[in-house]
Amino acid sequence: MEKIQWKVEGMDCNTCAINIHRYLEKQGMKNVKVNFATGDVIFDKENAVAKDKISKGINDLGYKVVDEKLAHQGHGHSHEHEDGSRKIFHSHLQRFFFCLPFTAVLMLDMIPGVHFHWLMNPWLQFALTLPVFIVGMSFFGKSAWKSIRNGMPNMNVLIAIGALSSFIYSLYGTLTGQAEQYMFYETTATIITLVFLGNYMEEASVKSTQKALNKLAKSQKVMANMITYDDQKQEHIFPVESDQLRSGDLILIKSGEQVPADCKILWGEADVNEAIITGESIPVHKVSKDKLIGGSILVNGTIKGYVTAAGNDTVLSGIINLVKQAQGEKPPVQQLADKISAVFIPVVLGIAVVTLIGNWIILKDFTPSLMRSIAVLVIACPCAMGLATPAAIAVGLGRGARNGILFRNARSLESFKNIRQVVFDKTGTLTTGEFIVDKWELTKQGSITEEEFKKIAFSLEKYSNHPIARSISREWKIKDEIRWKKIEEIKGLGMKAEDKEGNTYTAGSFKVAESFTKDDGHNVYVIKNDELLGWVDVKDELRPEAKTVVDYLHGKNIKTILLSGDRFAKTKALGDQLGIDEVIAEQTPEQKLEKVANLNALTPTAMVGDGINDAPALAKASVGISMSDASQIAMQTAQVVLMNYGLKKLPMALGLGKHTFLTIKQNLFWAFAYNIVAIPVAALGFLKPGFAALVMGLSDVVLAINSGRLFVKKVE
């Protein structure tokens, strides 16, 4: 299966996105995601249909594939027209400025108290209108014809019919000598000119909702200092663009420069600002063997490193693609709008016909009836219904990404509105996950020295990856460790080994020592030949923000639950310290999964975990929230990822989810209310076609501005 990611131009509304979506599904494409607001089209191709054929099919619908690239390879090309010709106009703003002088002259006669007799010449008005009409129909007409030909009418059908009707009506009057009764050239020019202006305002507004993601994307391409060596092993440094770097390349990064790609430090140390990835502006100190993430900035210091990932394989690129795919997702709230958008164009055409016939019968005058019918066509705005959700989601996801919060799909944003309880894992979530030896004791003084006890514990625990074992082996590291004849890790118990003399040693949980002692309050018990030598306790540091986050949830009437595999006494002590409502301890991964499923069945539940041991339970929750090292982002399976173990970002994640959904609801209300009110107002003759064209464009701007408030709105 091949994942394709294209940029497509010409999508003006959700109807366009639906048309492309339907076409791709008809061609057998899977996992289709089309976002008309961003122009991103993503799908999986698993059949033999050639990409060129699919691209041509999209072009035949009236849109244009301007950038083709394989998402996993990252190479692409741009083209103007399929026949290689170059466009005269490259944007709606250019078209608007071309049409404006002609339209402005035509509108002079509408200035109160001023009358220009020379402007009443129908052939002059025809000459002024013709350039505007040609430009308008070359865009709206061409797009409309292609969409009708393919059985998928788009919004441009309404604009094209409105402009064409008034132009032909006026031309008929001019040719038959009845110009005074039939002259509506200014209506044609005004519709086309103002719709171009409206489309430009809509595009600019929608682009503003993408600014958070654009900031991330701009950080992808910078200059890099590449290190090479000549035959005499002399070092040479020369500048290259970051997209030319490959894994294994050596690079030099100086103070104040941006890290051009993911890399690992070979030499030097530096303070690094990772705000582009994590949202945290406080620099992090990095030393040899530490990883640097492309897009972060060296505040001070100089390092040499080797590239571990470049281009589309970097963490930043992964985040951008993740956000783009999530923006293409449609939450359940959008489904109603999609259903209406799919039939909107035919319904509006029907209303326009009824308006024409009804007014003609009542007014007994064709001219005003036609103008009202044209106003209905022009003021109807399917864009508003289609833009309501994508605009809000684009801002919500973009703001999250800029602050170290990644939503893997749009559904998770919507799911937050119902969350009534949050389940926390303990180790690595509420605590740092970095253990230190707290205290230890020999059970039989004199039978073994302290140094020997530490040596045995280190020699056993160095072979385990358990966090507690790692902390002991790190603190008690020695050179003359015991060389074991054999050693194994027994799941759920601990480490077991045999030395060359045949002595057996065990280091593990209370289960390995319960036949030797009743004291079950320690982390690690060390046993030699069925004799308990002593025990070791470690402590896990509480995250400083944990108490604040729990208090925030209580302030929002959200119940908190601590779910851990650790012993009850320790878990309960931590829960009491933080004020957590319910503590559930001594749970296996299977029991955690079952517990989360039961809790979720009672009320919508979010779970926060480290994303590795808790993966099944996270998947079972209404919203699974993973704490992650930014460099491991691709390995996570949760719906929401808090990067760099950003527990303090949980309130913002919850708030963004709720406020994004609230914004979607506000947008949908405006979109439906606008069309429900505007269409009858136009049908009853209270709006001229030209003014209707301007109001139509402004309706989308209102939605984009409302969505843009999410950038600055307090969401916690």
Side-chain angles (χ1 to χ4, degrees):
M1 185 179 291
E2 190 177 20
K3 182 167 279 295
I4 309 293
Q5 185 173 319
W6 286 346
K7 246 335 177 197
V8 175
E9 276 186 356
M11 288 191 278
D12 296 310
C13 62
N14 199 46
T15 308
C16 304
I18 291 170
N19 290 347
I20 292 175
H21 196 284
R22 284 177 176 170
Y23 167 76
L24 290 171
E25 285 191 334
K26 280 182 182 177
Q27 297 299 313
M29 303 304 115
K30 305 292 183 186
N31 301 319
V32 179
K33 294 171 186 173
V34 182
N35 188 336
F36 92 87
T38 64
D40 289 310
V41 175
I42 303 169
F43 56 92
D44 292 334
K45 189 174 89 71
E46 58 181 6
N47 56 25
V49 180
K51 291 198 293 291
D52 288 346
K53 183 184 175 185
I54 302 169
S55 176
K56 186 177 183 304
I58 291 175
N59 288 326
D60 288 344
L61 288 174
Y63 315 104
K64 186 158 61 175
V65 179
V66 292
D67 182 32
E68 298 182 14
K69 65 178 179 179
L70 303 185
H72 65 283
Q73 289 180 342
H75 63 271
H77 67 276
S78 296
H79 55 277
E80 296 281 343
H81 278 287
E82 292 301 308
D83 58 8
S85 62
R86 299 186 65 83
K87 292 189 293 184
I88 299 173
F89 301 107
H90 300 278
S91 69
H92 289 308
L93 188 61
Q94 289 178 351
R95 295 184 185 99
F96 167 72
F97 279 126
F98 174 82
C99 297
L100 183 60
F102 301 103
T103 305
V105 174
L106 287 165
M107 299 291 287
L108 284 175
D109 205 45
M110 298 184 70
I111 300 173
V114 180
H115 191 65
F116 298 95
H117 292 286
W118 55 270
L119 195 56
M120 299 309 294
N121 185 318
W123 289 107
L124 175 62
Q125 289 204 14
F126 170 77
L128 288 168
T129 305
L130 189 60
V132 178
F133 180 74
I134 291 171
V135 171
M137 295 312 288
S138 69
F139 181 81
F140 299 118
K142 189 176 179 182
S143 172
W145 170 246
K146 283 185 176 181
S147 70
I148 292 170
R149 190 181 64 194
N150 287 281
M152 297 175 177
N154 61 22
M155 179 191 158
N156 291 332
V157 171
L158 304 180
I159 307 301
I161 291 175
L164 191 63
S165 300
S166 58
F167 184 77
I168 291 174
Y169 189 64
S170 302
L171 185 59
Y172 169 77
T174 302
L175 293 172
T176 58
Q178 305 175 70
E180 288 186 10
Q181 291 81 29
Y182 290 84
M183 200 151 64
F184 291 94
Y185 286 117
E186 87 283 347
T187 298
T188 302
T190 305
I191 289 172
I192 291 170
T193 304
L194 290 181
V195 171
F196 278 142
L197 176 62
N199 284 358
Y200 164 71
M201 290 191 298
E202 178 193 332
E203 281 181 358
S205 302
V206 170
K207 279 178 183 174
S208 74
T209 67
Q210 294 288 307
K211 67 181 180 185
L213 195 60
N214 291 339
K215 281 184 181 177
L216 289 176
K218 281 179 184 175
S219 299
Q220 284 191 291
K221 193 169 182 178
V222 294
M223 294 304 292
N225 305 309
M226 190 171 175
I227 302 172
T228 60
Y229 294 90
D230 60 22
D231 296 341
Q232 282 74 44
K233 296 186 179 178
Q234 290 292 313
E235 184 177 279
H236 296 278
I237 297 171
F238 63 95
V240 296
E241 290 190 338
S242 56
D243 58 357
Q244 294 177 349
L245 292 173
R246 298 292 179 266
S247 292
D249 285 346
L250 298 177
I251 54 174
L252 171 71
I253 311 171
K254 303 174 207 171
S255 180
E257 290 184 344
Q258 185 172 303
V259 179
D262 294 354
C263 60
K264 195 169 187 177
I265 298 175
L266 291 172
W267 170 89
E269 55 184 270
D271 293 319
V272 184
N273 183 334
E274 297 182 329
I276 192 75
I277 302 290
T278 65
E280 292 294 331
S281 57
I282 299 171
V284 181
H285 191 67
K286 300 277 187 175
V287 297
S288 181
K289 295 185 180 178
D290 281 347
K291 291 179 180 177
L292 296 181
I293 297 166
S296 52
I297 296 171
L298 260 66
V299 178
N300 59 64
T302 299
I303 68 103
K304 290 179 183 177
Y306 71 89
V307 176
T308 56
N312 274 15
D313 298 323
T314 62
V315 170
L316 186 59
S317 183
I319 290 170
I320 291 169
N321 280 331
L322 195 67
V323 175
K324 281 184 177 179
Q325 289 184 47
Q327 287 179 352
E329 294 271 356
K330 291 181 180 176
V333 72
Q334 177 67 13
Q335 291 173 0
L336 174 62
D338 278 357
K339 287 177 182 175
I340 294 173
S341 294
V343 298
F344 190 86
I345 308 297
V347 167
V348 171
L349 288 171
I351 293 172
V353 171
V354 170
T355 299
L356 175 65
I357 296 170
N359 277 284
W360 196 3
I361 292 171
I362 295 167
L363 300 174
K364 295 181 171 45
D365 190 344
F366 183 78
T367 299
S369 304
L370 178 64
M371 289 302 109
R372 292 180 183 186
S373 178
I374 291 171
V376 167
L377 290 172
V378 174
I379 201 159
C381 189
C383 301
M385 290 181 290
L387 188 62
T389 300
I393 284 175
V395 179
L397 293 175
R399 184 173 174 184
R402 286 277 295 163
N403 286 278
I405 304 165
L406 279 185
F407 296 91
R408 289 192 169 272
N409 52 59
R411 282 185 173 82
S412 57
L413 267 171
E414 185 175 344
S415 299
F416 269 130
K417 75 182 190 299
N418 300 318
I419 297 299
R420 299 313 320 146
Q421 59 187 11
V422 175
V423 177
F424 291 98
D425 176 46
K426 182 173 79 72
T427 306
T429 302
L430 294 173
T431 64
T432 61
E434 290 294 324
F435 294 97
I436 57 171
V437 175
D438 183 27
K439 53 188 175 181
W440 55 280
E441 190 176 297
L442 300 178
T443 51
K444 290 187 179 179
Q445 297 294 334
S447 65
I448 189 173
T449 66
E450 291 181 355
E451 286 71 23
E452 286 177 313
F453 178 75
K454 287 183 178 180
K455 181 178 180 179
I456 293 167
F458 167 74
S459 301
L460 286 164
E461 296 290 49
K462 72 167 287 189
Y463 292 98
S464 172
N465 276 324
H466 193 280
I468 292 177
R470 287 205 307 268
S471 68
I472 293 172
S473 61
R474 183 176 61 247
E475 289 196 40
W476 288 356
K477 187 174 183 179
I478 55 171
K479 290 183 179 178
D480 57 336
E481 63 188 87
I482 300 171
R483 302 294 179 182
W484 303 113
K485 182 181 176 183
K486 63 177 181 179
I487 185 166
E488 62 177 326
E489 185 167 10
I490 303 169
K491 192 176 179 182
L493 293 175
M495 300 302 300
K496 187 174 182 181
E498 182 184 334
D499 65 16
K500 293 173 183 177
E501 285 77 39
N503 297 304
T504 59
Y505 296 83
T506 309
S509 64
F510 176 68
K511 290 179 181 178
V512 303
E514 56 189 351
S515 57
F516 309 113
T517 180
K518 301 288 185 187
D519 183 2
D520 64 352
H522 305 296
N523 295 112
V524 178
Y525 297 83
V526 181
I527 299 160
K528 177 183 178 181
N529 294 334
D530 296 330
E531 179 187 359
L532 182 62
L533 298 179
W535 50 261
V536 184
D537 276 348
V538 298
K539 64 178 180 182
D540 187 6
E541 195 176 0
L542 192 66
R543 289 191 184 278
E545 65 269 26
K547 176 67 175 165
T548 306
V549 170
V550 171
D551 289 346
Y552 165 84
L553 295 173
H554 289 159
K556 297 291 183 182
N557 295 317
I558 296 174
K559 182 181 178 182
T560 54
I561 300 165
L562 178 54
L563 181 63
S564 175
D566 207 346
R567 301 196 68 76
F568 181 78
K570 284 195 170 187
T571 308
K572 184 72 166 70
L574 181 73
D576 291 344
Q577 186 180 348
L578 294 173
I580 287 176
D581 299 318
E582 184 180 347
V583 174
I584 305 167
E586 301 179 23
Q587 301 289 298
T588 64
E590 291 78 15
Q591 289 172 322
K592 280 186 179 182
L593 178 64
E594 186 180 348
K595 200 70 187 175
V596 170
N598 292 337
L599 289 167
N600 206 43
L602 296 172
T603 187
T605 302
M607 181 176 179
V608 189
D610 64 12
I612 302 167
N613 300 329
D614 305 306
L618 287 171
K620 205 71 178 175
S622 298
V623 181
I625 304 168
S626 168
M627 306 270 284
S628 165
D629 173 4
S631 63
Q632 299 298 313
I633 220 64
M635 297 170 62
Q636 302 302 325
T637 55
Q639 295 152 287
V640 182
V641 180
L642 306 179
M643 291 190 284
N644 272 27
Y645 305 103
L647 181 65
K648 62 182 174 184
K649 299 291 183 184
L650 180 60
M652 179 180 272
L654 287 163
L656 266 178
K658 289 179 180 178
H659 282 275
T660 300
F661 182 74
L662 177 64
T663 303
I664 290 171
K665 286 204 297 185
Q666 292 167 346
N667 286 353
L668 284 172
F669 172 78
W670 164 258
F672 283 112
Y674 164 83
N675 281 294
I676 288 168
V677 172
I679 291 173
V681 165
L684 294 170
F686 295 111
L687 276 175
K688 288 188 175 181
F691 186 69
L694 182 61
V695 173
M696 184 272 287
L698 288 172
S699 68
D700 295 338
V701 177
V702 170
L703 297 189
I705 291 172
N706 187 49
S707 300
R709 290 192 308 124
L710 269 173
F711 279 127
V712 294
K713 193 177 183 182
K714 187 178 179 184
V715 296
E716 294 178 27

